[in-house]
Amino acid sequence: MTTEPRPVATGADVALKAACDHLLGLQSAEGWWKAELQTNVTMDAEDLLLREFLGVRTPEDTAEAARWIRSEQREDGSWANFHDGPGDLSTTIEAYAALRLAGDPADARHMRSAAAFVRRNGGIEGSRVFTRIWLALFGQWPWTDLPVMPPELVFLPPWFPFNVYDWACWARQTIVPLTIVSARRPVRPLPFDLDELRTGRMPRRRPRLGWDGFFGALDRALHRYERRPVPGLRRAALRRAAEWIVARQEPDGSWGGIQPPWVYSLIALHLSGYGLDHPVMRRGLAGLDRFTIRDERGRRLEACQSPVWDTALAVNALRDADLPADHPALVRAAGWLLDEEVKGPGDWTVRRPSLPPGGWAFEFDNDGYPDTDDTAEVILALRRVAGPDARPAIDRGLRWMAGMASRDGGFAAFDADNTRELCTRLPFCDFGAVIDPPTADVTAHVVEALAHECPPGSDDVLRRAVVWLLRAQEPDGSWFGRWGANHVYGTGAVLPALVAAGVRPHRPCVRRAVAWLERHQNDDGGWGEDLRSYRDPDWIGRGHSTPSQTAWALIGLLAAGERSAAVDRGVEWLVGAQRADGTWDEPYFTGTGFPGDFYINYHLYRLVFPISALGRYLGSEIP
């Protein structure tokens, strides 16, 4: 239970001012904030492979990318998917292939070490399907031994199983171009082979019983069809798929503002006859430059960019720190956010055809895919700034966001009712989340926004979302975090939402969550949760203390009314870990792309969330 308030942790106010000063210094002249979105070296390896396939790879880009890839290699020869994580087979294979492209000889010490890791862990034969697709493009894996995804899928109506809208937006934008690639089956041989990465053991066949047996039989049937497709239907499908891709290119040249559909769309369109001088291809290749970071360690690509998300988080953090609502930095940020409102239709209209548009996307350019998570955070930010008239945009965003509720009352990020789990059983889908069901963290952010700004007629939407959250609570008292690591993120998001929606802090659901957070506080006073918790329950709530995760736990505890020793110790950890420049070090990844497969280090998280936590601890006005 809550104890009597204690004196403010020593230096918390000084730490907060230093952090705010640093954050204000990072704002762009246009009003936005954006920090690096760091992932793993597959982005850089696949960029080199893409450029090799298209014939545009340069020695300069290759040398810089190779320097970065080498710098991320682990002592055991592997490459991991997140800082201090275990080596990953497929990531290591792709990094190795890229370094061979860069001229690193197979008998070099670091290459021998990488090849040995690959063989010990199953070789090329044990890699994920997407890695073997890249290898097939260069003749290092037979196309006939890959699952088939026929382009005829684009003709399936939205009500039919396995139509492209059954997949999450990021997956459908990847799968549609891959249907073209799979149908064309190109091979552009490399000047070397990768025999040193093979074990000679073929991938394990799927059982012939149950759903696995059904999908194995379906894949065999598709292979038979692939040998002799209906010519007219195949031509029409390839044409329709290419048109579908072109229609979804963003003004900056990307597809959805993210790497996977971007690279596969360029390959698919190139195979469909789009020359490198075609405007679509020119924009696509040029746009990659804006996602490229160059420094003393080399050249690396961001898988995505997060300016809308970063800016909304920064505004809310500075307001939590009691920066005046009319501060010029906040007014500039609000103006920029208003300009980023998505006012047109997107793929979400397939499930919600009568819903008027509104809301915000994650990136600079992604008008086809606004998301409820960003929309909620932007609404929470705009309502706290005294600047341009944001009310019409807020109202449109609220209406759109409320209209994206799924049938069960919860909220997913990009689509409503994107829950057909059969998609996950296809042999093709062995990497990453491929559907977009409601999650606790997204639903919590929507609940918090609706609780403060509930539009007329949305009371039932809010009530059902709160019920969804209560039902989603884990037996141990925590909530799962889909887009952040992991139960610390989910619990830190849900507690403020429930309290904002009127759930009293003394209620059992809140007390159980508080107890879970207190049980999982580290001895040093901070909180951390390793990304391995997505696959191994023993890691849930366990990990090295990080600034962002410590702040999430504090935000949750403070929302629940806690002014306890645990809170004081968490604040003291933040104060003690702060750097002289006002920010914090955070090498550990705390963001999630695909649970269990793909992770993110948002470089602004280490700053904005501690500011929010310290500001709330010091008693700033909280909406």
Side-chain angles (χ1 to χ4, degrees):
M1 293 296 292
T2 304
T3 63
E4 290 298 315
R6 294 172 175 240
V8 172
T10 304
D13 52 349
V14 176
L16 179 59
K17 183 181 184 307
C20 288
D21 288 345
H22 190 98
L23 180 59
L24 287 168
L26 297 177
Q27 188 180 27
S28 72
E30 294 86 353
W32 46 263
W33 277 271
K34 186 196 82 67
E36 181 177 352
L37 192 151
Q38 181 184 351
T39 55
N40 64 65
V41 299
T42 57
M43 300 298 104
D44 315 291
E46 290 176 4
D47 181 67
L48 289 186
L49 293 169
L50 166 71
R51 294 173 186 276
E52 172 73 11
F53 186 83
L54 297 179
V56 297
R57 183 171 61 86
T58 67
E60 296 77 16
D61 285 345
T62 303
E64 287 186 71
R67 189 161 73 251
W68 166 255
I69 292 170
R70 289 187 208 104
S71 76
E72 290 289 291
Q73 190 175 17
R74 291 159 34 92
E75 288 185 4
D76 66 357
S78 70
W79 281 264
N81 285 341
F82 55 91
H83 176 76
D84 205 26
D88 181 78
L89 173 63
S90 293
T91 301
T92 301
I93 291 170
E94 294 183 26
Y96 182 97
L99 291 181
R100 289 295 307 274
L101 272 180
D104 290 20
D107 60 356
R109 181 177 179 181
H110 67 291
M111 299 295 277
R112 292 200 313 271
S113 177
F117 174 88
V118 170
R119 291 192 300 271
R120 284 197 308 273
N121 287 274
I124 285 175
E125 299 89 343
S127 63
R128 59 182 174 241
V129 168
F130 279 71
T131 296
R132 282 181 273 139
I133 289 172
W134 281 105
L135 297 175
L137 290 171
F138 299 103
Q140 298 296 312
W141 188 263
W143 284 106
T144 53
D145 286 343
L146 285 168
V148 171
M149 292 290 281
E152 287 82 353
L153 284 174
V154 296
F155 290 131
L156 295 178
W159 54 265
F160 196 87
F162 308 123
N163 74 87
V164 297
Y165 300 101
D166 273 355
W167 279 277
C169 69
W170 60 86
R172 81 177 65 109
Q173 288 189 99
T174 299
I175 286 170
V176 172
L178 280 178
T179 65
I180 295 177
V181 177
S182 176
R184 298 291 188 186
R185 298 187 173 188
V187 174
R188 298 187 181 175
L190 296 171
F192 53 84
D193 60 42
L194 296 173
D195 285 347
E196 65 272 22
L197 303 185
R198 303 181 194 278
T199 66
R201 298 186 297 271
M202 292 302 293
R204 182 174 61 87
R205 297 291 182 183
R206 284 182 164 234
R208 293 182 176 268
L209 301 175
W211 282 114
D212 283 340
F214 169 78
F215 285 111
L218 176 62
D219 186 57
R220 291 191 293 274
L222 290 173
H223 270 91
R224 287 193 293 272
Y225 174 75
E226 199 64 27
R227 289 194 289 270
R228 300 187 68 178
V230 178
L233 181 61
R234 172 54 56 92
R235 287 192 298 271
L238 289 169
R239 184 170 59 251
R240 174 71 67 84
E243 292 167 349
W244 192 97
I245 295 167
V246 171
R248 283 158 179 77
Q249 187 180 36
E250 296 291 340
D252 68 347
S254 73
W255 277 267
I258 53 177
Q259 184 264 6
W262 198 338
V263 296
Y264 296 124
S265 292
L266 287 171
I267 293 172
L269 293 179
H270 181 60
L271 294 173
S272 300
Y274 288 70
L276 296 178
D277 59 347
H278 191 283
V280 170
M281 297 293 290
R282 283 206 314 269
R283 282 197 304 271
L285 287 168
L288 290 170
D289 291 338
R290 196 168 82 175
F291 283 61
T292 302
I293 296 173
R294 289 180 169 87
D295 59 22
E296 67 281 356
R297 293 183 63 188
R299 172 185 183 273
R300 60 189 181 275
L301 262 69
E302 296 179 282
C304 185
Q305 293 183 334
S306 53
V308 173
W309 183 243
D310 285 353
T311 302
L313 291 175
V315 169
N316 280 315
L318 291 168
R319 289 294 291 125
D320 286 345
D322 213 20
L323 196 73
D326 61 353
H327 190 284
L330 300 182
V331 174
R332 285 200 309 275
W336 183 81
L337 286 170
L338 288 172
D339 288 340
E340 290 298 303
E341 182 189 5
V342 176
K343 297 179 180 178
D347 280 2
W348 54 269
T349 59
V350 172
R351 297 282 185 255
R352 294 292 182 270
S354 61
L355 180 63
W360 284 264
F362 190 70
E363 303 88 349
F364 284 113
D365 295 284
N366 187 8
D367 287 347
Y369 298 97
D371 67 272
T372 60
D373 213 13
D374 278 276
T375 299
E377 197 66 34
V378 171
I379 289 169
L380 288 168
L382 289 177
R383 64 181 293 273
R384 304 175 71 184
V385 178
D389 182 14
R391 175 47 53 188
I394 289 175
D395 289 342
R396 287 189 293 269
L398 287 166
R399 181 183 57 199
W400 178 80
M401 185 176 66
M404 292 297 289
S406 289
R407 284 188 292 266
D408 63 3
F411 285 83
F414 295 93
D415 280 300
D417 299 316
N418 187 259
T419 56
R420 201 186 294 270
E421 293 191 2
L422 283 178
C423 292
T424 66
R425 308 297 293 270
L426 288 169
F428 198 86
C429 300
D430 69 342
F431 174 73
V434 296
I435 57 175
D436 186 20
T439 61
D441 46 338
V442 174
T443 302
H445 294 150
V446 172
V447 163
E448 192 171 3
L450 289 175
H452 291 300
E453 293 281 342
C454 197
S458 295
D459 290 346
D460 188 56
V461 174
L462 176 58
R463 181 190 62 78
R464 295 182 70 237
V466 169
V467 170
W468 190 96
L469 286 174
L470 296 176
R471 290 174 175 168
Q473 189 172 25
E474 302 288 335
D476 62 8
S478 68
W479 278 272
F480 174 81
R482 161 63 178 86
W483 297 97
N486 172 351
H487 292 254
V488 175
Y489 181 71
T491 307
V494 172
L495 282 173
L498 291 180
V499 172
V503 177
R504 301 295 185 184
H506 68 270
R507 299 295 297 173
C509 60
V510 176
R511 303 323 311 163
R512 289 170 56 227
V514 166
W516 185 88
L517 286 171
E518 291 179 341
R519 284 198 310 273
H520 289 86
Q521 187 173 25
N522 287 334
D523 291 341
D524 61 10
W527 278 266
E529 185 170 0
D530 193 282
L531 290 159
R532 279 169 279 202
S533 64
Y534 284 108
R535 293 196 185 276
D536 183 354
D538 287 343
W539 283 100
I540 290 175
R542 290 180 49 226
H544 293 277
S545 296
T546 68
S548 58
Q549 290 169 314
T550 298
W552 296 338
L554 287 171
I555 289 168
L557 291 171
L558 290 166
E562 295 297 302
R563 298 296 185 272
S564 60
V567 170
D568 284 343
R569 290 178 59 230
V571 170
E572 288 167 355
W573 185 89
L574 283 177
V575 172
Q578 190 179 38
R579 294 165 28 139
D581 64 357
T583 186
W584 284 264
D585 283 322
E586 188 166 273
Y588 291 94
F589 288 31
T590 63
T592 308
F594 305 144
D597 292 302
F598 188 77
Y599 304 107
I600 302 167
N601 184 338
Y602 292 92
H603 282 210
L604 206 66
Y605 276 16
R606 66 193 67 179
L607 185 57
V608 290
F609 287 112
I611 288 174
S612 280
L614 292 174
R616 296 184 188 202
Y617 177 80
L618 291 171
S620 301
E621 179 187 356
I622 306 302

